[in-house]
Amino acid sequence: MEILNYINGEWIRPDVKEYLDVINPATGALEARTPLCGVAAVNAAAEAAAQALPGWRRIPAQDRVQYLFKLKFLLEDNLDEISRTITNECGKTFEEAKAEMRRAIENVEVAGGIPMMSKGEISEDIAPGIDEIMLRQPVGVCATIAPFNFPGMIPFWYLPYALATGNTYIVKPSERVPMTMMVIFRLIEKLGLPKGVINMVHGGKEAVDGILDHPAIRAITFVGSTPTARYIYRRAAENGKRVQAQGGAKNPVIVLPDADMEMATKIIADSAFGCAGQRCLAVSWAVTVGEARNPFMELICDAAASRTVGYGLDAGVQMGPVINHGSKARIEQLIGVGVNEGAAIPVDGRATSVKGYENGAFIRPTILADVKPGSEIARTEIFGPVLSLMHVNTIDEAIALANSGVYGNQASLFTSSGSAARKFRYEVDAGNIGINIGVAAPMAFFPFSGWKESFFGDMHGQGMDAVEFFTQKKIVVERWPKEWTRKF
Ligand code: NAD
């Protein structure tokens, strides 16, 4: 597939010297080459978006959302093609890709309610004849910088909200997975939006820096790793922009002895190994309490060892490869660190290959047991199909352990006790909580929360948070003395 920029309603072949090969992580086939654009492409997109802004914001919100209604049906009608593209560039299974796109579509649906969600407020007679009005106006030109692991869904935490609230918009997909947004932009093109309202620029750091520094871009959303999130947050804020930056994760799950062990194991395995562990809500370490240790250990090792790994478009495959060989090497090296630090490795998924896909970046599910709190493997985000096990004697110790990390994206608890669940929900420091849930992904009408070093900013993506993020409030105080009215 040829990867092009989309600027001012036109497909543009970028004039660049450097490209990044997009390799199918399962088959090893070359799928595309991402042009690594620089500041010139960003400037052109920002200029187009700035020019489109006055006309777009004048269109009533109830008319702007009509484009979203059309987009919803286009996405649904093309779900299989988009999902196949996700599998071929990102590695996850076809079913996982479809589930990803369903959440994207759900965000389009929720943003369809923006005429109501973005309406203003008025207080009459704050003093006799004086009214106070709160208007929500668009922020201006906005941009999203996306990660590789959800090439279709993550831009949709923002895109429909940014457009429907009257902003113009630029997307920069991850350079590792540019094809999904190419397919989606071919659909967006069919909407007939005014030129420049939505634009796409491909590239890596240089394009990102262009976005961070461009004076016309007023708000930026980012999703990716914590070091990049911190950088984006700092540089965008320094330039006076509104910014939210979602970072990495290391999500704990606590298993109490009263949990339904079979259900817990199945759900935890799906969370840890689904999308090959490359999900920011994947559980990556499990803390068993008291007598939960042995039954959980036995069942989770069986679940890990029996998972079917392969090319995500083949029938019966439960887990695809990781994104590339560099990532595979990094994950295997980290597993080695865990073993050197004294962890046992009852299920070892390293040095594996899949018949027929010998060039694929496959790692099988891996379990590290007796991982020491505070060790490197206990602290580092692995972002692969690896579950670390720890054990304590009380729920208080388990919660203290869960709160000891720097991240706060998600924490889960498996129990049949309501009071334990309430205690956990109350005390644990994370923005998304699962009670007998492995991936506590918020529906599109809730914010995609995230705390501590998993998030920099205050308003999140999705739902009302996104409406808040993409609008700025204007307060108007008006005096209309009674005596003036009498003149008519
Ligand atoms: P990444 O940080 O490497 O890249 C994300 C984006 O930042 C890409 O568009 C990339 O071009 C850009 N980028 C990368 N390095 C940069 C630099 N030095 N300067 C400027 N821009 C740069 O992240 P990734 O590997 O694509 O995604 C995986 C990470 O994202 C994991 O850490 C995962 O936990 C996190 N993630 C978080 C959430 C969340 O909601 N908190 C969701 C999905 C993924």
Side-chain angles (χ1 to χ4, degrees):
M1 179 187 294
E2 189 180 16
I3 307 301
L4 302 170
N5 289 339
Y6 187 77
I7 297 174
N8 206 25
E10 310 274 343
W11 291 102
I12 312 272
R13 183 169 297 128
D15 180 20
V16 296
K17 291 195 180 64
E18 266 191 273
Y19 288 83
L20 182 76
D21 286 349
V22 180
I23 306 288
N24 184 316
T27 65
L30 177 68
E31 297 276 352
R33 297 172 74 226
T34 309
L36 298 178
C37 297
V39 174
V42 173
N43 288 352
E47 201 171 302
Q51 277 185 10
L53 183 66
W56 180 242
R57 63 166 288 202
R58 279 199 178 277
I59 294 178
Q62 63 273 25
D63 294 338
R64 288 194 298 256
V65 295
Q66 300 307 317
Y67 293 98
L68 296 185
F69 296 140
K70 276 193 227 162
L71 180 58
K72 166 189 155 65
F73 291 110
L74 282 172
L75 292 171
E76 275 173 356
D77 291 347
N78 292 276
L79 187 65
D80 283 4
E81 188 199 348
I82 301 169
S83 305
R84 259 196 309 276
T85 310
I86 292 175
T87 298
N88 280 332
E89 66 177 352
C90 180
K92 64 182 67 172
T93 66
F94 187 53
E95 286 308 316
E96 288 169 342
K98 281 203 286 194
E100 161 174 356
M101 281 315 297
R102 284 198 193 96
R103 183 54 50 84
I105 293 167
E106 193 183 292
N107 273 286
V108 177
E109 290 165 352
V110 169
I114 271 179
M116 191 172 84
M117 293 193 285
S118 66
K119 69 187 185 340
E121 292 169 10
I122 180 164
S123 273
E124 275 186 332
D125 286 330
I126 54 163
I130 299 183
D131 302 333
E132 189 153 329
I133 300 162
M134 193 273 283
L135 304 171
R136 280 181 192 275
Q137 297 193 336
V139 179
V141 179
C142 301
T144 287
I145 301 159
F148 81 82
N149 63 326
F150 283 93
M153 176 187 76
I154 283 178
F156 280 86
W157 288 352
Y158 310 109
L159 181 158
Y161 303 95
L163 294 185
T165 48
N167 302 279
T168 54
Y169 188 62
I170 303 167
V171 185
K172 194 213 73 72
S174 162
E175 63 274 38
R176 293 191 256 178
V177 291
M179 301 196 311
T180 302
M181 285 312 279
M182 278 298 298
V183 176
I184 290 173
F185 264 69
R186 294 271 179 214
L187 303 176
I188 286 177
E189 191 187 12
K190 294 185 184 171
L191 301 177
L193 281 160
K195 284 180 190 310
V197 165
I198 184 159
N199 306 275
M200 174 164 65
V201 174
H202 293 282
K205 180 170 170 49
E206 230 187 288
V208 170
D209 286 348
I211 291 171
L212 297 175
D213 293 343
H214 199 291
I217 299 173
R218 301 308 311 143
I220 295 176
T221 71
F222 168 85
V223 182
S225 59
T226 289
T228 323
R230 195 192 293 281
Y231 167 75
I232 303 268
Y233 186 71
R234 187 183 298 135
R235 188 153 166 175
E238 223 167 66
N239 287 331
K241 299 180 196 310
R242 181 176 283 187
V243 54
Q244 59 166 283
Q246 325 259 345
K250 180 92 184 171
N251 303 313
V253 55
I254 296 173
V255 184
L256 296 187
D258 66 0
D260 175 332
M261 230 29 100
E262 288 202 0
M263 177 186 83
T265 310
K266 187 191 167 309
I267 294 173
I268 291 170
D270 286 346
S271 174
F273 310 131
C275 299
Q278 301 169 118
R279 209 161 26 184
C280 64
L281 294 181
V283 298
S284 67
W285 50 298
V287 183
T288 47
V289 176
E291 287 164 12
R293 180 186 202 156
N294 292 342
F296 179 71
M297 168 99 165
E298 195 178 312
L299 288 167
I300 197 74
C301 286
D302 285 350
S306 60
R307 216 152 183 95
T308 311
V309 178
Y311 177 29
L313 293 184
D314 287 346
V317 167
Q318 294 171 298
M319 190 181 105
V322 294
I323 184 68
N324 57 31
H325 283 279
S327 181
K328 173 179 156 106
R330 181 185 160 276
I331 294 164
E332 292 189 340
Q333 183 261 335
L334 275 169
I335 295 171
V337 167
V339 173
N340 288 341
E341 286 177 325
I345 182 158
V347 183
D348 186 351
R350 291 174 293 179
T352 192
S353 73
V354 170
K355 202 164 174 292
Y357 301 105
E358 284 75 11
N359 292 327
F362 292 102
I363 304 179
R364 284 176 200 277
T366 296
I367 303 279
L368 290 169
D370 303 323
V371 167
K372 292 191 184 64
S375 60
E376 187 178 339
I377 197 69
R379 285 182 283 118
T380 310
E381 180 181 32
I382 303 173
F383 220 53
V386 181
L387 184 68
S388 299
L389 305 185
M390 297 183 199
H391 181 72
V392 295
N393 293 317
T394 65
I395 187 172
D396 285 304
E397 288 172 84
I399 291 176
L401 206 51
N403 285 342
S404 65
V406 297
Y407 298 107
N409 222 29
Q410 179 192 276
S412 291
L413 174 73
F414 283 77
T415 184
S416 53
S417 153
S419 62
R422 186 175 191 280
K423 174 183 171 66
F424 177 80
R425 186 179 82 193
Y426 192 86
E427 293 180 12
V428 83
D429 294 334
N432 300 289
I433 304 296
I435 304 290
N436 297 316
I437 294 285
V439 179
M443 299 290 284
F445 38 89
F446 282 98
F448 193 97
S449 208
W451 285 15
K452 294 161 81 179
E453 300 215 354
S454 297
F455 185 73
F456 301 85
D458 36 1
M459 292 163 276
H460 295 79
Q462 298 201 145
M464 267 316 289
D465 263 35
V467 176
E468 288 280 345
F469 186 84
F470 288 113
T471 54
Q472 48 192 349
K473 295 181 193 115
K474 185 179 271 179
I475 304 300
V476 183
V477 187
E478 294 186 353
R479 182 195 304 275
W480 295 107
K482 235 168 138 186
E483 16 333 338
W484 292 10
T485 323
R486 274 195 223 114
K487 289 182 189 157
F488 295 99

